Amino acid sequence: MTVDRLLPTPEAHDLLDLTRELATRELAGKVDDFEARGEFPREVLRTLGRSGLLGLPYPEESGGAGQPYEVYVQVLELLAGTWLGIAEAVSVHTLSCLPVAFFGTEEQRKMLPDMLGGEMLGAFALSEPQGGSDAASLTTRAVLSGDHFVVNGTKAWITHGGQADFYNLFCRTGGPGPKGISCMLADAATPGLLPQQPERLMGLRSSAPAQIVLEEARVPRDRLVGAEGEGFAIAMKALDAGRLGIAACAVGLAQGALDHAVGYAREREQFGRPIGRFQGLGFMLADMGTQISAARALLLNAARLKDAGRPFSTEAAKAKLFATDVAMRVTTDAVQVLGGSGYVSDHPVERWFREAKVLQIVEGTNQIQRMVIARSLLG
C-alpha cells in the first residue's frame, strides 16, 4: 500500500525513493536469513551508511545529510516495514551520535564523519541490570585516576553490544541522583570493556542486545563528553529524540503488517468470495488503517515541533506510547486476519507480532511514557 506523504522538499521525495529501493534490494531478501541465524547485519548497515541514511538529521558540515526529523522518521518507517532490526539499529546509532554532535569537544567531533557515515557503529550504554526505568539511580562508577577514568559496573540491554565501535558510557562520577552522572565516549577496544553473549530474544534476533561488563576499564579523561555531572541531561536529550525513532519503527512495522493482511484478505477466498469482503474482517482492517494513520500524525507532529526548535518531549512521549501500542494491536490483528497461516513463519506477520512487543519496552517503557505525559498535564 502506498501512503500519501506531504514532504517538505523534492530532495525528501528522492530520499524516500532511495530508501524504498534499498529496502527492496538490500533488505527484503536478507531479513529472514539473518533473523533465523540471529546474526547482526553489520555490512547491511555499512551499506546504508554509505548511502547516507545513518546521519540524516545531522548537519552536512559534520558529515550528515542535513535532513529535518520529519523526513528522518519517515525513512525509519519505510525501513521498519521491511526489517525492524535494521530500522531499530539505525535509530539507536543515530541516538548514539547525539552526545558527541551536541556536547562533544572539537577533538571529539572530528569522529563525526565516520560516525555519521556508518564506518563507526555506536551504542548507548545507559541501562543497568537493576536500573532500567530509574536511570538516575545507575551505579556504574568512574573514578578519575591521572589522565584516565577507571570504570567499574555493568550495563544491560545494550543494542549493538559487542558489535559497536564506540559506546556512550553513562557513569557515576559524583554523588547520588542525576547530578552525579557523567557521559564518556569509550572505544570498543578499551581494556576492561567486556561485551557478554547476546541476549536470547523473542524477536529482533538479528539485533540482539548484550550486557557490557566494565572491569577497571580505562577511558581517557579527554573522552568525557560535556561537563562532569551533565550526563543525565545528555541522556534525556538523546532519549527524547530516540523516542521519535522508536515511534517511527512502530508505525512502519504496523504498516507492513496491515499491507500484508490486506493482500491476504484480497486473495484468500472462503464461501465463494475474498475474506476481506466479510464485514467482520473488513472492519478490522479499517480500524487497523485508522490507528496507523493516527499514530503517524502524532509522530509527524512531534517531529515538526522538534524541527521548529519548540518543546517536543511530551509529544514524543505521546507518539512513542500510542504508536507502539498500535503496533502491538495491528500485528495481533494481522495474525488473526491470516488465521492459522498467520501463526507460521511462512508469513512475516508471525515475526512482526513477536517484534512489536519490544517496542512497548525500549527507550522508556510505555508506563514511563504515561508518567511523562501525566506530569506535563499536572504540572
Side-chain angles (χ1 to χ4, degrees):
M1 181 185 298
T2 301
V3 176
D4 288 334
R5 298 178 186 275
L6 297 175
L7 295 169
T9 63
E11 181 185 11
H13 282 277
D14 292 341
L15 183 57
L16 263 63
D17 287 342
L18 170 64
T19 303
R20 290 188 190 95
E21 179 187 344
L22 287 169
T24 301
R25 189 181 74 232
E26 297 289 338
L27 306 188
K30 298 176 180 177
V31 54
D32 288 339
D33 183 43
F34 275 87
E35 286 293 324
R37 289 186 286 115
E39 180 182 338
F40 184 72
R42 182 66 180 92
E43 286 306 311
V44 176
L45 281 170
R46 192 169 276 115
T47 297
L48 295 185
R50 291 169 180 169
S51 300
L53 298 188
L54 293 190
L56 288 174
Y58 292 101
E60 293 180 74
E61 57 267 25
S62 298
Q67 291 296 313
Y69 248 74
E70 175 186 359
V71 174
Y72 163 64
V73 295
Q74 293 183 76
V75 167
L76 281 182
E77 179 190 332
L78 290 177
L79 293 174
T82 301
W83 190 346
L84 179 62
I86 285 291
E88 191 244 8
V90 172
S91 178
V92 170
H93 176 74
T94 302
L95 168 80
S96 301
C97 294
L98 187 147
V100 169
F102 284 89
F103 299 91
T105 64
E106 185 175 343
E107 187 64 26
Q108 291 166 0
R109 288 171 58 81
K110 291 179 181 178
M111 300 170 64
L112 278 174
D114 282 342
M115 291 178 173
L116 302 178
E119 295 306 311
M120 297 179 66
L121 184 69
F124 195 79
L126 177 64
S127 295
E128 296 185 356
Q130 302 302 320
S133 295
D134 186 11
S137 69
L138 65 82
T139 59
T140 297
R141 180 160 288 280
V143 178
L144 187 61
S145 176
D147 58 357
H148 285 75
F149 285 98
V150 179
V151 186
N152 287 281
T154 301
K155 294 296 179 179
W157 307 110
I158 306 306
T159 301
H160 305 156
Q163 302 289 342
D165 299 294
F166 67 91
Y167 293 81
N168 294 291
L169 291 181
F170 292 89
C171 311
R172 191 162 299 285
T173 55
K179 293 184 179 179
I181 296 171
S182 298
C183 176
M184 50 197 67
L185 186 68
D187 292 335
T190 300
L193 190 155
L194 308 171
Q196 306 300 294
Q197 287 296 312
E199 304 288 352
R200 299 172 63 187
L201 301 184
M202 183 190 334
L204 279 182
R205 291 169 182 166
S206 64
S207 187
Q211 284 195 354
I212 303 296
V213 173
L214 300 144
E215 294 182 354
E216 299 291 301
R218 296 178 62 81
V219 180
R221 183 176 187 174
D222 62 8
R223 287 297 189 91
L224 179 70
V225 180
E228 276 198 49
E230 198 175 11
F232 190 77
I234 293 172
M236 294 303 104
K237 181 179 178 69
L239 287 175
D240 279 344
R243 284 166 183 162
L244 295 180
I246 296 302
C249 288
V251 172
L253 187 72
Q255 186 69 58
L258 173 62
D259 291 348
H260 194 86
V262 167
Y264 187 87
R266 285 176 176 153
E267 299 295 328
R268 172 69 166 168
E269 290 192 1
Q270 291 288 277
F271 305 102
R273 55 177 168 160
I275 62 173
R277 298 298 179 186
F278 291 97
Q279 192 175 81
L281 283 182
F283 281 12
M284 183 183 294
L285 294 169
D287 287 343
M288 293 159 72
T290 301
Q291 291 165 12
I292 293 168
S293 292
R296 184 179 290 115
L298 271 177
L299 168 63
L300 292 176
N301 176 62
R304 288 164 182 157
L305 287 173
K306 184 181 188 315
D307 289 333
R310 296 171 59 186
F312 73 98
S313 297
T314 302
E315 299 310 308
K318 290 177 183 176
K320 195 273 182 185
L321 166 65
F322 188 77
T324 58
D325 281 353
V326 163
M328 193 72 252
R329 286 195 297 271
V330 167
T331 55
T332 301
D333 287 347
V335 171
Q336 191 71 20
V337 170
L338 270 69
S341 296
Y343 201 65
V344 296
S345 57
D346 302 62
H347 291 274
V349 293
E350 175 269 341
R351 170 168 54 84
W352 293 332
F353 170 74
R354 290 185 286 105
E355 291 174 337
K357 185 64 212 175
V358 76
L359 297 177
Q360 296 177 302
I361 299 170
V362 296
E363 303 281 354
T365 66
N366 282 7
Q367 286 69 34
I368 290 294
Q369 306 314 314
R370 288 179 170 90
M371 288 173 59
V372 170
I373 298 163
R375 190 180 303 127
S376 75
L377 292 171
L378 296 170

